[in-house]
Amino acid sequence: MEMQFKPIQLPGVDTKRPIVIAGPCSAETEEQVLETAHDLAARGIKIFRAGIWKPRTKPGGFEGIGSEGLLWLRRVKEETGMYVATEVATQYHVLEALKYGVDILWIGARTTTNPFAMQEIADALKGADIPVLVKNPVNPDIELWIGGIQRIYNAGLRRIGAIHRGFSSYDEKVYRNAPQWHIPIELRRRLPDLPIFCDPSHIGGRRDLIAPLSQQAMDLGADGLIIESHCSPDYAWSDKNQQVTPEVLDNILKSLVIRETHTTEDISDLRNQIDHLDNDLIDLLAKRMRVSREIGQFKKEHDMTVLQATRYDEILGNRIEKAKAAGMDGDFMKVVMQAIHEESVRQQMTVLQNK
């Protein structure tokens, strides 16, 4: 399905990268919301975010102030002139947010995972003309992400964007949610007109990681950032470790290096080199697979099993060390060699199965 999106343009908001959406994880009190909003507005932030309904992993924690907080967001608009944004997860949330004049909606990672919930939200949005941002699902499934975007698109909305907030993992890691940058890169390849925002707060889970993650997002061409900012982050009722003060946020944004995203003449020669090298790689791999088929024929004639685990371990270890010596990442080479090995096994199995 081909989708054509409109830019997320709001009067008075500069569309230069990055478009910034900032505010606390949760709307806790009216005083906290207004203090944070006024401080952010004074520093040039045009779009204020705050969670009104908070889906928690386990019951018993703070699950949001509810519709009362929408009145506070209305005051933010009246007193600062900012646009306001919040997360929705049900039809009720959508209808309440629209009733109170919320300007931008986003859909959280847990909700994106559930096609039933996404369809309910899409049905509630029919006839509305409001920007909607769809976070990636918690699991690294780009089809599920695109499917959620399609449901909103099919409801008639065109000002749609994506939010890259990282992916859950059971492994110990530096980040709260692994960035897996290749997934939003693939999303951009498939949907080139779709605006993509990065959420460094949820990727990092720590305030000291927000600056480097924001810079990485800009280097990869992200259109905007959605960052959690709180007037007193150490006392926040939710996700305190990943929120920064408006002053710190201001310093982070001022330190960003924003590079051009369009192709220039100077890079075309280098890209031509890449094209030629890729063709050479394909030719080399084709030759390697020819040798694999010859090995398969030998194994067939001598009743040998295809998989030779000791040999594979030897190859894997040797190639990884050579890759490291050449300045490449060992994990990268491991993935490459695993893919080559799988195809080699497939080629040999084809020979064995031919009579």
Side-chain angles (χ1 to χ4, degrees):
M1 173 186 178
E2 185 177 352
M3 293 183 280
Q4 296 181 334
F5 303 99
K6 292 182 179 178
I8 297 178
Q9 293 180 329
L10 296 167
V13 177
D14 196 338
T15 56
K16 286 194 309 182
R17 300 170 53 242
I19 300 170
V20 179
I21 302 172
C25 173
S26 303
E28 301 162 359
T29 67
E30 188 171 19
E31 179 183 23
Q32 167 248 6
V33 166
L34 291 172
E35 180 180 347
T36 305
H38 277 281
D39 200 348
L40 289 169
R43 299 175 190 279
I45 301 299
K46 301 294 185 182
I47 307 173
F48 181 80
R49 58 141 290 156
I52 299 298
W53 302 277
K54 298 300 298 180
R56 311 308 296 173
T57 302
K58 296 179 180 178
F62 176 61
E63 296 188 332
I65 200 70
S67 295
E68 178 185 359
L70 295 172
L71 291 169
W72 308 341
L73 295 186
R74 181 181 284 176
R75 278 198 63 185
V76 168
K77 293 180 64 171
E78 293 170 351
E79 295 183 15
T80 69
M82 299 173 84
Y83 295 96
V84 295
T86 199
E87 178 179 345
V88 293
T90 68
Q91 183 182 59
Y92 172 75
H93 293 169
V94 172
L95 297 177
E96 284 289 279
L98 294 177
K99 182 172 72 175
Y100 283 91
V102 173
D103 301 292
I104 299 174
L105 305 179
W106 82 81
I107 300 169
R110 291 180 177 89
T111 308
T112 306
T113 304
N114 185 341
F116 292 104
M118 288 300 299
Q119 189 59 53
E120 178 183 318
I121 291 170
D123 291 342
L125 284 166
K126 285 181 178 177
D129 181 18
I130 184 172
V132 176
L133 308 177
V134 181
K135 284 195 173 186
N136 63 256
V138 291
N139 50 313
D141 186 340
I142 193 170
E143 301 301 336
L144 202 55
W145 198 1
I146 292 174
I149 292 166
Q150 285 179 329
R151 290 179 188 275
I152 303 301
Y153 188 89
N154 289 344
L157 284 81
R158 296 296 178 265
R159 289 189 293 166
I160 303 172
I163 300 176
H164 169 224
R165 49 80 74 192
F167 302 88
S168 296
S169 170
Y170 290 110
D171 301 327
E172 288 191 20
K173 52 195 180 301
V174 173
Y175 303 113
R176 177 180 177 182
N177 294 293
Q180 299 205 40
W181 296 106
H182 65 283
I183 297 178
I185 289 172
E186 175 63 11
L187 183 69
R188 172 58 53 83
R189 186 188 71 80
R190 295 204 204 177
L191 304 175
D193 297 328
L194 179 74
I196 300 179
F197 288 70
C198 179
D199 179 350
S201 303
H202 278 88
I203 292 176
R206 296 187 348 230
R207 60 189 64 143
D208 62 299
L209 294 175
I210 291 175
L213 285 166
S214 296
Q215 185 61 62
Q216 281 183 275
M218 290 299 98
D219 291 344
L220 291 170
D223 299 282
L225 299 167
I226 178 166
I227 300 177
E228 293 185 346
S229 181
H230 192 294
C231 55
S232 301
D234 288 333
Y235 300 96
W237 296 1
S238 59
D239 286 349
K240 66 179 182 180
N241 293 329
Q242 64 189 45
Q243 300 192 64
V244 295
T245 64
E247 179 182 8
V248 170
L249 174 63
D250 191 38
N251 291 332
I252 290 172
L253 296 176
K254 286 178 178 176
S255 69
L256 288 177
V257 177
I258 310 300
R259 298 178 173 87
E260 296 294 333
T261 58
H262 62 267
T263 302
T264 65
E265 292 293 330
D266 293 337
I267 206 172
S268 60
D269 288 342
L270 295 173
R271 286 183 168 171
N272 286 334
Q273 290 183 46
I274 290 289
D275 291 341
H276 289 309
L277 289 168
D278 284 347
N279 289 334
D280 290 344
L281 280 173
I282 292 170
D283 289 341
L284 284 171
L285 287 170
K287 291 175 182 177
R288 194 186 194 282
M289 295 308 155
R290 176 181 57 76
V291 174
S292 291
R293 290 192 295 274
E294 292 178 2
I295 292 173
Q297 184 63 39
F298 182 89
K299 290 177 178 177
K300 180 179 181 180
E301 293 171 356
H302 294 81
D303 292 326
M304 296 172 63
T305 60
V306 168
L307 184 61
Q308 302 288 318
T310 303
R311 168 65 176 161
Y312 176 55
D313 287 342
E314 177 187 329
I315 289 175
L316 193 60
N318 176 272
R319 294 347 178 230
I320 288 174
E321 289 307 311
K322 286 187 176 181
K324 288 179 178 178
M328 288 181 281
D329 182 74
D331 289 339
F332 160 74
M333 185 50 61
K334 182 178 180 181
V335 170
V336 170
M337 292 309 302
Q338 285 175 334
I340 291 173
H341 181 255
E342 287 177 11
E343 178 61 14
S344 296
V345 168
R346 191 188 71 81
Q347 295 276 350
Q348 292 184 37
M349 290 293 294
T350 300
V351 172
L352 264 66
Q353 289 167 3
N354 287 337
K355 294 182 180 181

